[in-house]
Amino acid sequence: NNNNSRKTDTLQGAITADRTLDASKNYFLKGQVYVKNNATLTIPAGITVYAQVNAQRSSKSVLVITQGAKLFINGTITNPVVFTSAATIKTPGDWGAIILLGNAPANVGVGHVAGLSETNDTQYGGNVTTDNSGSITYLRLEYTGGINPPQEDEWAVDKASGLVMAGVGSGTKIDNVMVKYSNDD
């Protein structure tokens, strides 16, 4: 499996219907990508997603799984799914994060992810303790974290450290996630 010789495709805009990525390709994550409309995005083992790098804070590449939508990352110990920077010279904070937004209780009640526009697509929290945002196994996140230096007094996507879970319920499975070369803790 020579990962570098694979064809590439692009993820951008809104994903509003169930979609399974092609296991024979790698992907570019371009800008802010929202999985919404109760859609499910499935990423098979071995795929590398290269996040577009943009110095502008407002257009940092992120993957947002909105309330009701699901993300299934099906990596394995020998064939993980990798999200990394698309830059030739990679640096911490090249892109934002994967953000899971659920309907489970949150300490703020219902909130919005700071750093993104306040819309239904950035809302999290509710009263469904068993809410299910999907399943993530064997995922490696690299060069995440947004702006430098991070603003420690403000929880924002721009300082997110790879995988952000807000209002995510107990029906969600997270197993073997590695974050490296992040711009935050």
Side-chain angles (χ1 to χ4, degrees):
N1 178 10
N2 184 348
N3 222 10
N4 295 330
S5 64
R6 293 175 170 211
K7 289 186 169 39
T8 55
D9 202 348
T10 301
L11 296 173
Q12 69 182 90
I15 297 171
T16 58
D18 292 355
R19 179 168 178 193
T20 298
L21 300 188
D22 182 337
S24 70
K25 294 180 180 178
N26 287 324
Y27 289 81
F28 287 108
L29 180 68
K30 189 171 182 182
Q32 297 178 359
V33 176
Y34 289 86
V35 180
K36 49 200 257 179
N37 248 20
N38 298 319
T40 295
L41 175 62
T42 302
I43 304 178
I47 287 178
T48 299
V49 177
Y50 298 95
Q52 178 188 41
V53 178
N54 188 323
Q56 292 179 312
R57 182 177 174 167
S58 63
S59 56
K60 189 82 56 170
S61 291
V62 292
L63 176 61
V64 180
I65 310 305
T66 64
Q67 288 180 310
K70 290 182 175 63
L71 175 64
F72 288 94
I73 292 181
N74 299 325
T76 67
I77 192 167
T78 56
N79 213 8
V81 170
V82 178
F83 275 67
T84 191
S85 168
T88 304
I89 299 172
K90 299 168 181 1
T91 56
D94 276 351
W95 68 286
I98 293 177
I99 303 169
L100 297 180
L101 303 177
N103 293 294
N107 61 352
V108 297
V110 173
H112 292 270
V113 177
L116 296 175
S117 301
E118 278 198 24
T119 68
N120 289 343
D121 293 338
T122 61
Q123 181 176 298
Y124 64 89
N127 57 12
V128 185
T129 57
T130 59
D131 194 42
N132 183 348
S133 295
S135 171
I136 297 176
T137 55
Y138 291 102
L139 167 65
R140 190 168 75 233
L141 297 160
E142 301 175 340
Y143 303 101
T144 63
I147 62 170
N148 189 15
Q151 305 299 310
E152 287 300 341
D153 59 329
E154 166 194 356
W155 185 81
V157 69
D158 296 279
K159 67 179 227 45
S161 52
L163 179 61
V164 175
M165 294 177 280
V168 172
S170 63
T172 307
K173 178 185 172 196
I174 308 291
D175 190 29
N176 289 293
V177 175
M178 175 184 187
V179 178
K180 68 180 196 175
Y181 309 123
S182 174
N183 202 30
D184 195 32
D185 47 13

